[in-house]
Short mmCIF file of all heavy atoms in Angstrom, two decimals:
data_model
loop_
_atom_site.label_atom_id
_atom_site.label_comp_id
_atom_site.label_asym_id
_atom_site.label_seq_id
_atom_site.Cartn_x
_atom_site.Cartn_y
_atom_site.Cartn_z
N VAL A 281 104.86 73.67 -76.01
CA VAL A 281 104.19 74.60 -76.79
C VAL A 281 104.22 75.97 -76.12
O VAL A 281 104.67 77.04 -76.68
CB VAL A 281 102.73 74.23 -77.17
CG1 VAL A 281 101.99 75.45 -77.81
CG2 VAL A 281 102.72 73.05 -78.14
N CYS A 282 103.73 75.95 -74.82
CA CYS A 282 103.55 77.35 -74.10
C CYS A 282 104.89 77.90 -73.68
O CYS A 282 104.96 79.10 -73.36
CB CYS A 282 102.62 77.08 -72.95
SG CYS A 282 100.91 76.73 -73.52
N ALA A 283 105.94 77.04 -73.57
CA ALA A 283 107.27 77.63 -73.15
C ALA A 283 108.09 78.10 -74.33
O ALA A 283 109.11 78.83 -74.14
CB ALA A 283 108.00 76.56 -72.32
N TYR A 284 107.65 77.82 -75.52
CA TYR A 284 108.52 78.18 -76.68
C TYR A 284 108.59 79.61 -76.98
O TYR A 284 107.68 80.33 -76.92
CB TYR A 284 107.94 77.41 -77.96
CG TYR A 284 108.76 77.71 -79.20
CD1 TYR A 284 110.06 77.42 -79.30
CD2 TYR A 284 108.03 78.19 -80.25
CE1 TYR A 284 110.77 77.58 -80.49
CE2 TYR A 284 108.68 78.48 -81.54
CZ TYR A 284 110.09 78.20 -81.57
OH TYR A 284 110.78 78.33 -82.78
N ASP A 285 109.85 80.08 -77.18
CA ASP A 285 109.98 81.47 -77.48
C ASP A 285 110.82 81.53 -78.80
O ASP A 285 112.05 81.39 -78.73
CB ASP A 285 110.82 82.25 -76.29
CG ASP A 285 110.94 83.73 -76.62
OD1 ASP A 285 110.47 84.13 -77.62
OD2 ASP A 285 111.55 84.38 -75.67
N PRO A 286 110.18 81.88 -79.83
CA PRO A 286 110.91 81.84 -81.19
C PRO A 286 112.01 82.98 -81.29
O PRO A 286 112.93 82.83 -82.01
CB PRO A 286 109.83 82.05 -82.26
CG PRO A 286 108.62 82.52 -81.46
CD PRO A 286 108.80 82.08 -80.00
N VAL A 287 111.86 83.98 -80.45
CA VAL A 287 112.81 85.07 -80.62
C VAL A 287 114.09 84.67 -79.89
O VAL A 287 115.14 85.14 -80.18
CB VAL A 287 112.26 86.34 -79.99
CG1 VAL A 287 113.25 87.47 -79.92
CG2 VAL A 287 110.96 86.81 -80.69
N GLY A 288 114.01 83.71 -78.94
CA GLY A 288 115.29 83.20 -78.27
C GLY A 288 115.93 84.41 -77.43
O GLY A 288 115.24 85.11 -76.66
N TYR A 289 117.17 84.46 -77.71
CA TYR A 289 117.97 85.52 -76.93
C TYR A 289 117.78 86.89 -77.53
O TYR A 289 118.43 87.80 -77.10
CB TYR A 289 119.49 85.11 -76.82
CG TYR A 289 119.63 83.81 -76.08
CD1 TYR A 289 120.07 82.60 -76.77
CD2 TYR A 289 119.45 83.79 -74.74
CE1 TYR A 289 120.27 81.49 -76.07
CE2 TYR A 289 119.56 82.60 -74.06
CZ TYR A 289 120.01 81.45 -74.65
OH TYR A 289 120.20 80.32 -74.00
N GLY A 290 117.06 87.09 -78.58
CA GLY A 290 116.83 88.32 -79.18
C GLY A 290 117.92 88.85 -80.08
O GLY A 290 118.06 90.01 -80.43
N ILE A 291 118.86 87.84 -80.48
CA ILE A 291 119.96 88.30 -81.30
C ILE A 291 119.31 88.43 -82.80
O ILE A 291 118.78 87.45 -83.31
CB ILE A 291 121.08 87.22 -81.45
CG1 ILE A 291 121.60 86.87 -80.07
CG2 ILE A 291 122.21 87.57 -82.30
CD1 ILE A 291 122.30 85.61 -79.83
N PRO A 292 119.56 89.56 -83.45
CA PRO A 292 118.93 89.70 -84.77
C PRO A 292 119.43 88.66 -85.74
O PRO A 292 120.64 88.27 -85.69
CB PRO A 292 119.32 91.09 -85.20
CG PRO A 292 119.72 91.81 -83.92
CD PRO A 292 120.20 90.76 -82.94
N TYR A 293 118.57 88.13 -86.60
CA TYR A 293 118.85 87.13 -87.60
C TYR A 293 119.46 85.83 -87.06
O TYR A 293 119.97 85.03 -87.72
CB TYR A 293 119.89 87.70 -88.56
CG TYR A 293 119.43 88.96 -89.27
CD1 TYR A 293 119.95 90.26 -88.87
CD2 TYR A 293 118.44 88.94 -90.20
CE1 TYR A 293 119.46 91.45 -89.49
CE2 TYR A 293 117.97 90.15 -90.76
CZ TYR A 293 118.46 91.24 -90.46
OH TYR A 293 118.00 92.44 -91.01
N ASN A 294 119.18 85.53 -85.72
CA ASN A 294 119.64 84.33 -85.13
C ASN A 294 119.04 83.08 -85.79
O ASN A 294 119.64 82.03 -85.97
CB ASN A 294 119.42 84.10 -83.65
CG ASN A 294 117.98 84.20 -83.24
OD1 ASN A 294 117.05 84.53 -84.03
ND2 ASN A 294 117.61 83.92 -81.99
N HIS A 295 117.84 83.22 -86.41
CA HIS A 295 117.20 82.10 -87.01
C HIS A 295 117.84 81.75 -88.34
O HIS A 295 117.63 80.71 -88.95
CB HIS A 295 115.67 82.39 -87.19
CG HIS A 295 115.41 83.53 -88.04
ND1 HIS A 295 115.59 84.80 -87.72
CD2 HIS A 295 114.85 83.64 -89.31
CE1 HIS A 295 115.30 85.70 -88.61
NE2 HIS A 295 114.81 85.03 -89.66
N LEU A 296 118.67 82.65 -88.87
CA LEU A 296 119.33 82.39 -90.17
C LEU A 296 120.60 81.77 -89.89
O LEU A 296 121.25 81.12 -90.81
CB LEU A 296 119.52 83.65 -90.96
CG LEU A 296 118.23 84.49 -91.23
CD1 LEU A 296 118.56 85.76 -92.08
CD2 LEU A 296 117.30 83.60 -92.05
N MET A 297 121.15 81.88 -88.70
CA MET A 297 122.45 81.31 -88.29
C MET A 297 122.38 79.95 -87.72
O MET A 297 123.28 79.10 -87.88
CB MET A 297 123.23 82.27 -87.37
CG MET A 297 123.49 83.55 -87.95
SD MET A 297 124.52 84.68 -86.93
CE MET A 297 123.12 85.32 -85.96
N PHE A 298 121.30 79.68 -86.90
CA PHE A 298 121.21 78.40 -86.23
C PHE A 298 119.83 77.65 -86.61
O PHE A 298 118.83 78.45 -86.73
CB PHE A 298 121.18 78.63 -84.70
CG PHE A 298 122.21 79.54 -84.24
CD1 PHE A 298 121.87 80.85 -83.86
CD2 PHE A 298 123.52 79.27 -84.23
CE1 PHE A 298 122.78 81.73 -83.36
CE2 PHE A 298 124.49 80.15 -83.71
CZ PHE A 298 124.11 81.41 -83.34
N ALA A 299 119.93 76.45 -86.79
CA ALA A 299 118.67 75.65 -87.01
C ALA A 299 117.88 75.48 -85.67
O ALA A 299 118.55 75.24 -84.65
CB ALA A 299 118.97 74.30 -87.58
N ASP A 300 116.62 75.79 -85.75
CA ASP A 300 115.76 75.64 -84.49
C ASP A 300 115.08 74.41 -84.55
O ASP A 300 113.95 74.34 -85.17
CB ASP A 300 114.85 77.04 -84.42
CG ASP A 300 114.05 76.94 -83.16
OD1 ASP A 300 114.16 75.96 -82.38
OD2 ASP A 300 113.24 77.83 -83.05
N TYR A 301 115.67 73.38 -83.94
CA TYR A 301 114.89 72.06 -83.98
C TYR A 301 113.76 72.08 -83.09
O TYR A 301 112.73 71.30 -83.27
CB TYR A 301 115.87 70.94 -83.43
CG TYR A 301 117.07 70.92 -84.41
CD1 TYR A 301 118.27 71.31 -84.03
CD2 TYR A 301 116.93 70.20 -85.63
CE1 TYR A 301 119.41 71.28 -84.91
CE2 TYR A 301 118.02 70.20 -86.53
CZ TYR A 301 119.25 70.64 -86.12
OH TYR A 301 120.32 70.55 -86.95
N ARG A 302 113.57 72.98 -82.15
CA ARG A 302 112.42 73.04 -81.21
C ARG A 302 111.21 73.53 -82.05
O ARG A 302 110.12 73.09 -81.74
CB ARG A 302 112.70 73.99 -80.04
CG ARG A 302 111.62 74.08 -79.12
CD ARG A 302 111.97 73.62 -77.73
NE ARG A 302 112.38 72.34 -77.40
CZ ARG A 302 112.17 71.76 -76.23
NH1 ARG A 302 111.65 72.39 -75.20
NH2 ARG A 302 112.66 70.54 -75.99
N GLU A 303 111.42 74.39 -82.99
CA GLU A 303 110.19 74.81 -83.66
C GLU A 303 109.37 73.72 -84.37
O GLU A 303 108.11 73.63 -84.22
CB GLU A 303 110.50 75.88 -84.72
CG GLU A 303 109.26 76.37 -85.43
CD GLU A 303 109.58 77.35 -86.61
OE1 GLU A 303 110.69 77.37 -87.08
OE2 GLU A 303 108.65 78.05 -87.08
N ALA A 304 110.10 72.79 -84.99
CA ALA A 304 109.51 71.63 -85.61
C ALA A 304 108.74 70.83 -84.59
O ALA A 304 107.62 70.28 -84.78
CB ALA A 304 110.44 70.82 -86.37
N LEU A 305 109.39 70.63 -83.43
CA LEU A 305 108.83 69.86 -82.29
C LEU A 305 107.53 70.54 -81.81
O LEU A 305 106.52 69.88 -81.61
CB LEU A 305 109.76 69.67 -81.17
CG LEU A 305 109.23 69.05 -79.84
CD1 LEU A 305 108.86 67.57 -80.21
CD2 LEU A 305 110.32 68.97 -78.73
N VAL A 306 107.63 71.86 -81.59
CA VAL A 306 106.49 72.61 -81.14
C VAL A 306 105.31 72.48 -82.03
O VAL A 306 104.18 72.28 -81.59
CB VAL A 306 106.88 74.09 -80.90
CG1 VAL A 306 105.56 74.99 -80.60
CG2 VAL A 306 107.93 74.26 -79.77
N GLU A 307 105.60 72.59 -83.34
CA GLU A 307 104.48 72.46 -84.31
C GLU A 307 103.84 71.13 -84.24
O GLU A 307 102.60 71.04 -84.34
CB GLU A 307 105.09 72.79 -85.76
CG GLU A 307 104.10 72.96 -86.83
CD GLU A 307 104.54 73.53 -88.14
OE1 GLU A 307 105.57 74.33 -88.01
OE2 GLU A 307 104.05 73.05 -89.01
N GLN A 308 104.63 70.04 -84.21
CA GLN A 308 104.03 68.73 -84.14
C GLN A 308 103.27 68.51 -82.82
O GLN A 308 102.17 68.02 -82.76
CB GLN A 308 105.13 67.60 -84.28
CG GLN A 308 105.82 67.50 -85.58
CD GLN A 308 104.86 67.06 -86.70
OE1 GLN A 308 103.94 66.30 -86.55
NE2 GLN A 308 105.07 67.41 -87.98
N ALA A 309 103.89 68.98 -81.74
CA ALA A 309 103.26 68.86 -80.46
C ALA A 309 101.90 69.57 -80.49
O ALA A 309 100.92 69.02 -79.97
CB ALA A 309 104.14 69.49 -79.31
N LEU A 310 101.83 70.68 -81.06
CA LEU A 310 100.58 71.54 -81.19
C LEU A 310 99.48 70.81 -81.94
O LEU A 310 98.31 70.71 -81.55
CB LEU A 310 100.87 72.90 -81.77
CG LEU A 310 99.87 73.99 -81.78
CD1 LEU A 310 99.22 74.16 -80.46
CD2 LEU A 310 100.48 75.21 -82.28
#
Side-chain angles (χ1 to χ4, degrees):
V281 169
C282 294
Y284 178 57
D285 184 0
V287 177
Y289 297 110
I291 307 161
Y293 302 106
N294 63 346
H295 61 289
L296 302 179
M297 296 182 275
F298 316 106
D300 182 359
Y301 298 103
R302 181 123 297 202
E303 184 185 12
L305 173 65
V306 168
E307 192 169 322
Q308 291 292 333
L310 188 49

